[in-house]
Amino acid sequence: MIPPMRSREALVTGVGVVNAIANDFESFVEAMREGRCGQRAITGFDSAGLRNPRACEAAEFDAGPVYARRDRRKMDRSSELLLAAFDQAVSMARIDLRSVESARGAVAMGSTLGGAVTGFQYYRAAREGRRRPSKLRDHSMHAPGYRICIESGFLGPNLVFSTACTSSNLALAAALDLVRTDRADVVVAGGFEPLSLISCAGFSVMRNVTPGICRPFDRNRDGLVLGEGSAVLIVEADDFAARRGARGLAAVRGYGLVSDARSMTAPDPTAAGPSTSMRHAMDMAGLSPDCVDWVCAHGTGTLLNDRAEARALRQVFGPRSREVPCTSIKSMIGHTLGAAGAMNAAAALAAGRGDYIPPTIHFEEPDPRDPVACSSVARTGAPKHVLSNSLGFGGSNCSVVIELAGDSGVRE
Amino acid sequence: MASDLARRVAITGAGAVGSFGIGTGALWDAVGAGDRTFASCTRYPGALPCAEAVKPDLRRMLHTGQTSRMSLVSQFAIAAVHLALTQAQLSTSKGGAGPVIGIVYATSHGPAATTQEIYDDLLDYGAAAVKPRAFQESVFNAPASLASIQFGLKGPIQVLAASIGAPVVLQQAQMLLAHPGVDAVIALCADELCEAVQSALRVLRWHRPAAGAEESSPSRTRRGAVSAEGAAALLLERADDALAREVPALAEMAGAVTTNDAWKLVRPAPDARGLIAAVRGCFADAEAAPGDVDLILCALSHNPVDDALHAVAMRSLFADKAPPVASMTNDIGYAMGAAGMLDVTLAVEMIHRRRMPASMDRTGTLAGAVGSILCTGAGLNGMFGAVLIREPTWESAVSADAEPNARIAPPEPEPVHATGFAGRAARTPAPVSRAASAARGRAVAAAESTGLREHLQ
C-alpha cells in the first residue's frame, strides 16, 4: 500500500565526517573556516597516466580506532571510512542504537564506486591465479551499510543508492521519506566514497579532471579534482528524539529529485532539471526562495556543470542569485562523488556550529556569463535554511533543504 | 473507497528479458515448459553453467540504432521498460509535458562486464587506456539513466545496489507514489553475466560448479546457483489513476518490504529472522494474513544455505498450513538482482491469466485458484524481502472509446502535509465502463507497430 505522509520531522542529532581536510567534525568546522585545501599527491595507488596525479585523498585518515573498536579483521576502505564517520555521529547523538526497536531502524547510504578498491584488488589477484575469497566479503556496495546494521541490530532496510553524484542526497531524501511515512524512527544516513584508480582513470580519460586546481564557479575553472571520504548523519523522527530528550542540530525539511533525460555525461544547458529539483525541495520544505540563506552548491568546477547550476540558480532566485551566498566545498575536499551530498550536509552543520558560511577557495574572478555569490574566504553568518544541490552523471538532480538549529536546537 | 484506491498500487504494464526470450509471454512459456539445460556462457571462456539472455533487438523495437552499443544490462533494461510502458499505454515520446514517471532500479552487480573491461584495460595498458564510453556506462545508474534518456522520462530516478532487487525497488516505488507529483513509477531490476563475477561466486561456493567438476565435488557443493541475466520491469501507478486512465490493472502490488538480518557478512542468520521479518512486514503493509496466500514463489538460489533458510522461514510463518511453494530458478537460472523481479513478473502473469504455468501445477489442483502470491527472496549481506501480488479488488474496467497513450490525469494536491512535487493540475476523472478487451486490443495494436505482438500475449 502507498504509505500516507505524516507530519513527523526528520531531525539530525549527530554527524561524523572524514575527508581530505578533516578526520572528525570539529576539525572539519575549523578546516573549512580556514579554507584549507585537501589536494595533494595521490599515495594510495600509482598515479601514472592520470591527467592529474594529485587529488583530495583522505591521506591523514587513520583507520586504527575503527579496527580497535571491532574485531580487527581487514575490511574494505569504504567500510573503514564509513565506520569512522558512523562512530563519530553516534557519539555526538549520544544514542544507544540498540535501544531502537530493531524493525524501526534503517540505513540509507549513497556511493558511486564503493567497494571498487577491493574489487580491483581481487580481480588483479585472480588474474594472477591467486584466489582470495576474503576479499569478496565486503566488496559489495551494500556491505558497509550492512556492517552498521550488524552493529546496531537494525532489521529495517539497508539501502545504498548509486545514482552517481546525487547518491547521498538521495540517501537523505530516503531518510526523510522513511521517517515521514512512519516506517522508521532512526535512520543512519550518509555517503562514502573511496579514492580508487578506476574513478581517477575514468574521469581522467573523460577529461573533466583539471590538471591544476579546482576553481568552482570561477571564470578560469577547468575541471574537478576527485576526493574521498565519508559523512554520516543520525536522522531521528522528532517524536523519537523527544522521548529520549535529544537535541536536533538540524532538520531535513524537503527534497526534489528529477531527471534531465538528456545525456549521460553533459548537463542540460537549459538547466531545467536542477532548477526544478531546487523548486521541489523548497516546496516540500514550505519555503520560498527568499527564505534560503545559503546555497551549498554541487559546484564541481567543470565548465558545463557550473554553468548549468548557475543558470538554475538564476532561474530559481532571479536577481537575488547574485546575492544569496553560494559555496562549493569541492574546492577544499574535492569531488567525493556518491558522498558529495552527505558532505554538503555535514558542511551545513559545520556552518551552523561555527556561525560562518564556508568559502569556495581558489575562487578569484566570477564568470561574467553566470555569476554567483561565491567568496574565497569564509563569511560570518548564521544561515538557517540551506539548499544543498547535487547534479549527477546520467542527468539525475537532487536538492535537499536543511534547516539549521539555533542555539536552542530545532527541537528539544 | 476513493481514498482507498489512492493508496492501492496497480500494475498496468510488465516487461521481461532473459534466457527465455523477450516479453512476459516468453517467460510464461519457458516456465510452463519445465526444466531446461544450462550451458556455459558464449561470450567468455569458462565452463560454469549459466542462463544467457536473448539479446533484444532494440533497433527493431525502438526504431533507433543508438542503443545497440550500450552494455548488455542497459539493453535488457531498456527493452523491459519499453514493454512495460507499451502495455501500460503510456506515451514514450521525448520532450513535452507528459506524465511524471519515475524509475526505481536495482542491480546486484551493475554493468559488471563493462567494469571488467575497464579493469583489464587498467592492468594491461594503464590508466590512460580506459575507454571514456566504457567508464560512463560502468556506473550503476547507467541502465536507468539511459532508459530515462531513451524514453524522455523526467521523473525521479533512484538506483540501488541490492542483492535481491524486487522488494527494494517495489518498496521505494511505493514511497515515490506517496508524493503527489509522481504519476507512475517503473520498478526495474537488471543484471548481466560477467566472467569475473561468476567465477568469484564459485570461489565463494555459492555458484554451481561446472558439469564435470560436479561429480567429484564434496556433497555440500554439489548444488548451488546457476547464474542468469536479464531484466524485469513493472509499471506501477495509483489504482485510481489507472481507473481514470481506463487501463486494466494486471494485478495489485499489495505489499513490499525489505529487511536485513543484522547477522554476519556473507552468512545469513540461521533462524531466518530477516526473511521472517520481511514477510510479516509485507503482510502488515498489504493488510493481509498468512491464510490469504495461495502460492509462494521463492527466488531460490539452490544454494543449500539459502534454501534451508527459506524452509525455516516458511515453517515459522505458516506452520503446517503452508500454501504450495514454487520456484522457477530451475527453469531460468538465478538472475542475480533481477531474480526476484522475474518472480514478481511471473506472479503478475499468473494473476492476470488466472492460472499457473503447467510445470508448477502438475496436479491441476490450483488451476483458477491463484488470487494472491507471496514472492520472497534472500540475498548477499543479509538482504531479504517479500512482495505480495494479488488480484485487483477494484473494478478493473476500461472505456471502449478511451484514447490509447492517454496522459495520466494528475491527482488533486494534498490539502495537508504537502510533501513536494508541487505544481499539479486538478484531477478530472474519466468515465469508467467495462471494455477491457478493447483496451487490450489497442495495446496489442500498438505493440504490433513495433513488432512486439508476441510479447504481449
Side-chain angles (χ1 to χ4, degrees):
Chain A
M1 295 268 197
I2 297 169
M5 287 286 179
R6 300 175 196 276
S7 57
R8 297 177 104 200
E9 289 190 32
L11 302 186
V12 179
T13 56
V15 59
V17 64
V18 175
N19 55 40
I21 62 171
N23 289 320
D24 59 62
F25 180 71
E26 295 304 332
S27 52
F28 188 45
V29 173
E30 292 312 309
M32 284 203 303
R33 189 200 303 275
E34 294 167 10
R36 206 173 297 162
C37 179
Q39 195 176 347
R40 70 200 81 190
I42 295 169
T43 60
F45 49 83
D46 181 3
S47 60
L50 297 179
R51 188 170 159 83
N52 191 340
R54 293 161 61 83
C56 290
E57 189 176 20
E60 292 170 13
F61 167 62
D62 174 16
V66 172
Y67 285 102
R69 286 168 180 260
R70 296 168 175 89
D71 61 7
R72 294 188 176 274
R73 291 185 71 173
K74 185 68 182 163
M75 60 179 92
D76 179 67
R77 176 83 166 170
S78 295
S79 292
E80 292 175 352
L81 293 166
L82 179 64
L83 292 176
F86 168 70
D87 287 346
Q88 295 169 33
V90 170
S91 173
M92 186 187 291
R94 297 179 184 175
I95 186 170
D96 175 8
L97 294 176
R98 291 273 170 187
S99 70
V100 180
E101 185 184 333
S102 57
R104 296 183 62 79
V107 173
M109 289 293 149
S111 185
T112 299
L113 289 159
V117 174
T118 300
F120 186 58
Q121 286 172 350
Y122 172 83
Y123 186 69
R124 178 161 47 196
R127 273 198 6 164
E128 294 165 358
R130 292 178 288 123
R131 300 196 184 272
R132 301 160 71 183
S134 63
K135 286 280 181 196
L136 298 171
R137 288 176 73 231
D138 66 345
H139 105 280
S140 297
M141 220 183 288
H142 35 83
Y146 185 49
R147 286 183 181 277
I148 290 177
C149 293
I150 293 168
E151 293 193 11
S152 60
F154 286 180
L155 294 179
N158 170 26
L159 305 172
V160 57
F161 295 92
S162 190
T163 48
C165 316
T166 58
S167 303
S168 53
N169 255 2
L170 213 50
L172 295 177
L176 179 59
D177 278 351
L178 285 165
V179 167
R180 283 194 171 168
T181 56
D182 199 24
R183 289 193 165 179
D185 290 330
V186 177
V187 184
V188 180
F192 56 89
E193 199 69 56
L195 191 72
S196 66
L197 178 57
I198 185 170
S199 59
C200 287
F203 280 98
S204 194
V205 297
M206 293 186 70
R207 304 188 71 78
N208 45 17
V209 170
T210 173
I213 55 174
C214 178
R215 302 171 184 275
F217 298 112
D218 190 280
R219 74 179 299 171
N220 297 315
R221 66 187 182 273
D222 60 358
L224 58 84
V225 166
L226 287 167
E228 75 169 345
S230 176
V232 171
L233 283 72
I234 305 297
V235 179
E236 300 183 42
D238 55 352
D239 52 306
F240 182 88
R243 281 201 298 275
R244 69 181 193 91
R247 176 176 180 267
L249 308 170
V252 182
R253 290 284 191 219
Y255 72 90
L257 176 61
V258 299
S259 174
D260 285 349
R262 186 178 177 278
S263 165
M264 267 306 286
T265 51
D268 180 357
T270 69
S275 62
T276 305
S277 72
M278 284 186 238
R279 287 192 180 105
H280 285 174
M282 289 185 285
D283 286 344
M284 191 186 289
L287 298 177
S288 71
D290 288 345
C291 299
V292 172
D293 303 308
W294 171 40
V295 176
C296 197
H298 189 54
T300 58
T302 63
L303 191 67
L304 296 180
N305 183 89
D306 288 6
R307 178 175 296 162
E309 188 171 14
R311 286 181 180 176
L313 290 169
R314 197 161 63 235
Q315 289 166 20
V316 171
F317 291 97
R320 194 169 167 258
S321 66
R322 290 169 178 259
E323 299 161 11
V324 62
C326 178
T327 298
S328 169
I329 62 168
K330 291 179 181 65
S331 59
M332 294 177 277
I333 66 167
H335 191 347
T336 54
L337 303 177
M343 287 294 175
N344 273 13
L349 286 151
R353 172 68 65 90
D355 285 335
Y356 70 94
I357 292 172
T360 304
I361 63 169
H362 311 308
F363 178 82
E364 293 173 351
E365 199 175 347
D367 186 334
R369 294 175 63 182
D370 303 292
V372 293
C374 288
S375 166
S376 61
V377 294
R379 288 166 280 191
T380 303
K384 184 177 182 189
H385 295 118
V386 184
L387 179 65
S388 166
N389 289 335
S390 293
L391 283 64
F393 205 65
S396 173
N397 306 284
C398 188
S399 298
V400 172
V401 170
I402 296 169
E403 181 183 333
L404 299 173
D407 291 339
S408 58
V410 175
R411 289 283 188 279
E412 291 289 345
Chain B
M1 185 65 177
S3 62
D4 181 57
L5 286 180
R7 287 193 61 212
R8 290 181 179 272
V9 180
I11 299 171
T12 55
V17 176
S19 59
F20 46 82
I22 316 290
T24 53
L27 173 64
W28 180 271
D29 291 344
V31 176
D35 285 353
R36 56 162 287 167
T37 306
F38 299 111
S40 54
C41 186
T42 60
R43 301 198 299 269
Y44 50 79
L48 293 173
C50 72
E52 197 172 343
V54 173
K55 188 173 182 289
D57 185 352
L58 292 177
R59 191 180 294 271
R60 180 171 168 234
M61 268 186 179
L62 306 171
H63 306 295
T64 172
Q66 290 180 345
T67 52
S68 58
R69 289 177 61 204
M70 292 175 184
S71 65
L72 272 178
V73 67
S74 292
Q75 295 191 42
F76 300 154
I78 286 172
V81 169
H82 172 69
L83 293 169
L85 285 167
T86 302
Q87 188 168 29
Q89 303 174 49
L90 281 167
S91 168
T92 61
S93 60
K94 290 183 183 179
V100 177
I101 302 174
I103 301 175
V104 185
Y105 164 57
T107 178
S108 181
H109 303 296
T114 308
T115 303
Q116 185 178 346
E117 179 188 340
I118 294 172
Y119 285 178
D120 283 331
D121 284 342
L122 283 170
L123 291 169
D124 293 336
Y125 309 109
V130 172
K131 301 173 192 73
R133 186 181 181 87
F135 182 67
Q136 75 184 49
E137 291 200 6
S138 71
V139 291
F140 267 44
N141 58 302
S145 294
L146 290 167
S148 78
I149 294 165
Q150 178 63 41
F151 301 113
L153 306 176
K154 296 189 175 182
I157 292 181
Q158 294 189 1
V159 177
L160 297 113
S163 51
I164 181 80
V168 177
V169 295
L170 292 168
Q171 177 179 287
Q172 290 304 111
Q174 278 183 325
M175 292 275 202
L176 282 183
L177 288 172
H179 292 279
V182 178
D183 297 314
V185 179
I186 294 163
L188 168 71
C189 295
D191 262 302
E192 67 183 6
L193 286 168
C194 162
E195 181 187 10
V197 170
Q198 199 184 13
S199 63
L201 293 172
R202 178 60 202 147
V203 168
L204 289 171
R205 295 283 186 264
W206 184 85
H207 200 285
R208 190 176 297 183
E214 191 170 1
E215 303 305 322
S216 58
S217 296
S219 59
R220 71 183 184 87
T221 61
R222 238 176 236 167
R223 297 164 68 216
V226 172
S227 291
E229 62 183 354
L234 296 175
L235 194 295
L236 310 178
E237 55 189 300
R238 299 175 194 90
D240 60 350
D241 281 345
L243 277 168
R245 259 187 353 106
E246 303 180 348
V247 290
L250 306 173
E252 179 187 3
M253 203 285 287
V257 165
T258 178
T259 61
N260 82 96
D261 65 358
W263 187 248
K264 290 177 181 171
L265 287 174
V266 302
R267 194 190 316 164
D271 61 4
R273 66 185 68 167
L275 186 52
I276 291 167
V279 173
R280 286 188 177 142
C282 181
F283 285 148
D285 185 25
E287 297 173 1
D292 297 334
V293 177
D294 298 317
L295 175 72
I296 301 170
L297 260 183
C298 297
L300 292 175
S301 66
H302 297 300
N303 175 286
V305 175
D306 290 349
D307 289 10
L309 208 67
H310 268 88
V312 169
M314 294 310 130
R315 271 198 302 274
S316 171
L317 290 159
F318 296 96
D320 57 350
K321 295 176 182 170
V325 179
S327 173
M328 64 175 179
T329 41
N330 266 338
D331 302 324
I332 64 167
Y334 190 84
M336 314 311 297
M341 200 61 169
L342 287 167
D343 274 0
V344 174
T345 304
L346 182 69
V348 170
E349 278 295 295
M350 285 191 219
I351 298 291
H352 184 52
R353 295 175 186 235
R354 294 171 175 271
R355 59 193 170 94
M356 296 174 67
S359 65
M360 284 189 179
D361 185 21
R362 292 194 171 91
T363 62
T365 53
L366 287 166
V370 181
S372 181
I373 302 172
L374 178 69
C375 301
T376 61
L380 182 70
N381 285 332
M383 200 172 277
F384 298 91
V387 177
L388 189 69
I389 301 297
R390 66 186 170 201
E391 195 172 356
T393 51
W394 60 88
E395 190 176 31
S396 179
V398 293
S399 166
D401 56 355
E403 290 291 321
N405 300 319
R407 280 189 55 187
I408 294 180
E412 296 167 11
E414 292 286 313
V416 290
H417 307 321
T419 50
F421 299 112
R424 305 177 63 91
R427 180 195 333 230
T428 310
V432 176
S433 64
R434 286 188 173 279
S437 60
R440 182 71 182 163
R442 284 193 297 277
V444 171
E448 276 181 335
S449 69
T450 55
L452 290 172
R453 181 179 181 124
E454 67 273 27
H455 308 315
L456 287 171
Q457 295 169 10

